[in-house]
Amino acid sequence: MRVLVTGASGFVGQRVVKELLKNKHEVVVLTRNIAKSALNLGSRCKFVQWDAVSVPSQQAFEGVEAVINLMGEGLADKRWDDAQKRRIHDSRINGTHLLIKAIADMPKKPKVLVSASAVGIYGNRDAEEITETSTTGSDFLANLCKEWEAEAFKAKDLGLRVVVVRTGVVLGRGGGALKKMLPVFKLGAGGPIGNGKQFMSWIHVDDLASIYVEAVTNPTLQGAVNGTAPYPATNKEFTKALGKALHRPALMPVPAFALKAAFGEMSSVLLEGQRVLPKKIKEQKFRFHYPTLEMALKETAY
């Protein structure tokens, strides 16, 4: 199958491309920087220039049967002032809109669109168990995800099967949440955030990549799919497990007021949580390689 991918140079995107190639799929990458993408992804992909502010070229979609949409400004890259929130919003909603517009103009359309979303759509839910049918929240992240998903679901009207993957905290070597956390924990200065009771719905990047490939190839999957591991953990449990994996203490709590002072509204991502369960993908007998936090951290913490 020929699969077109946006956001392929990111931490998750690189693993998704690797998984697609491992499963003998052809990969077409829409990218702003062909040279950089080729360096990150290798010569087995086809690269097509796209500035993400205009409609992608029809040539990019030739022979494409599936589209994976991973584009979006990093949520934790900068403090959330009004300009940054606009960039976070526009990179997702406007980019997805342009992608759907290109598909709408095609005489022969892809069969499936798999688009990224996030567990932030559920809002802060304390210890409540959440599945794909749970209600959604109303804060900035929740509203962002709802608008993002609504844009992706417009492809249903064009005859495509649509899957949105609601991703949790992604763990893996060389990127994701651990990239910023590891240096602190290696110094023995890590610890729970706030009261540590908030749930972290996490997933190993390799399992997430496999979920994307499953969503592309499994015709029975559609709608929202939670891209999380089966056993979410509280922040306190997570930091304890990470300290253990690194053979370092993890006893220095980070006060909520300090995070709010440093990160402003973005601190809500760390101080609030969701206990999200991957019900729909488990019903497909999907096999997680890293179902437990201990297994995931053993592979990623180094």
Side-chain angles (χ1 to χ4, degrees):
M1 181 184 293
R2 179 172 287 185
V3 184
L4 183 142
V5 184
T6 71
S9 293
F11 177 58
V12 173
Q14 290 186 48
R15 299 300 180 98
V16 169
V17 168
K18 181 180 177 182
E19 189 69 14
L20 287 167
L21 293 172
K22 187 176 81 173
N23 285 274
K24 311 300 181 184
H25 298 292
E26 297 179 56
V27 177
V28 179
V29 174
L30 280 182
T31 177
R32 288 187 180 92
N33 190 327
I34 290 178
K36 181 180 177 182
S37 294
L39 186 64
N40 290 332
L41 301 169
S43 60
R44 294 172 61 191
C45 302
K46 176 183 177 182
F47 299 95
V48 179
Q49 189 84 34
W50 182 41
D51 59 11
V53 295
S54 58
V55 179
S57 70
Q58 291 288 300
Q59 289 74 21
F61 291 85
E62 289 180 359
V64 167
E65 296 179 74
V67 176
I68 295 178
N69 177 32
L70 299 169
M71 71 177 77
E73 177 89 3
L75 290 175
D77 289 353
K78 298 177 181 177
R79 188 185 178 97
W80 287 359
D81 58 17
D82 289 342
Q84 181 62 9
K85 286 169 76 171
R86 176 53 55 185
R87 282 190 290 269
I88 289 170
H89 174 277
D90 291 352
S91 64
R92 288 164 170 77
I93 282 70
N94 293 355
T96 304
H97 173 77
L98 293 168
L99 201 61
I100 302 302
K101 194 172 189 313
I103 293 171
D105 293 338
M106 295 172 59
K108 185 176 182 182
K109 296 174 175 52
K111 298 176 181 177
V112 57
L113 168 67
V114 184
S115 193
S117 185
V119 297
I121 196 170
Y122 298 113
N124 182 26
R125 307 292 278 272
D126 297 321
E128 175 190 351
E129 291 190 347
I130 297 170
T131 68
E132 288 87 353
T133 58
S134 296
T135 56
T136 57
S138 58
D139 57 15
F140 168 70
L141 273 184
N143 289 331
L144 171 72
C145 290
K146 284 188 280 188
E147 192 175 351
W148 194 11
E149 291 187 8
E151 204 63 49
F153 279 124
K154 289 179 182 179
K156 286 180 65 177
D157 297 333
L158 303 175
L160 279 72
R161 176 172 61 89
V162 178
V163 181
V164 292
V165 181
R166 294 173 174 172
T167 306
V169 176
V170 183
L171 306 179
R173 296 193 182 200
L178 288 178
K179 186 174 183 180
K180 294 182 179 180
M181 295 174 68
L182 281 176
V184 177
F185 274 78
K186 286 180 177 180
L187 291 172
I193 295 173
N195 63 22
K197 295 179 180 179
Q198 67 274 30
F199 269 87
M200 294 178 63
S201 298
W202 61 274
I203 188 168
H204 191 284
V205 67
D206 290 347
D207 283 331
L208 181 59
S210 295
I211 287 176
Y212 272 97
V213 176
E214 176 75 12
V216 162
T217 57
N218 185 339
T220 66
L221 267 182
Q222 59 183 332
V225 172
N226 288 334
T228 60
Y231 304 106
T234 65
N235 178 263
K236 187 175 182 179
E237 291 168 342
F238 178 88
T239 54
K240 182 179 179 181
L242 180 54
K244 183 178 179 181
L246 293 169
H247 307 290
R248 295 288 190 276
L251 303 173
M252 298 182 66
V254 182
F257 74 84
L259 277 176
K260 290 177 181 177
F263 299 110
E265 187 180 354
M266 192 183 75
S267 64
S268 64
V269 177
L270 302 171
L271 294 169
E272 300 174 358
Q274 305 89 15
R275 190 179 186 179
V276 180
L277 304 177
K279 181 180 179 183
K280 192 177 286 188
I281 199 72
K282 285 187 71 178
E283 290 173 347
Q284 299 293 325
K285 309 300 181 185
F286 178 85
R287 179 176 176 268
F288 286 89
H289 292 284
Y290 303 97
T292 69
L293 191 55
E294 289 73 20
M295 292 172 70
L297 291 176
K298 184 178 180 181
E299 196 279 331
T300 57
Y302 57 98

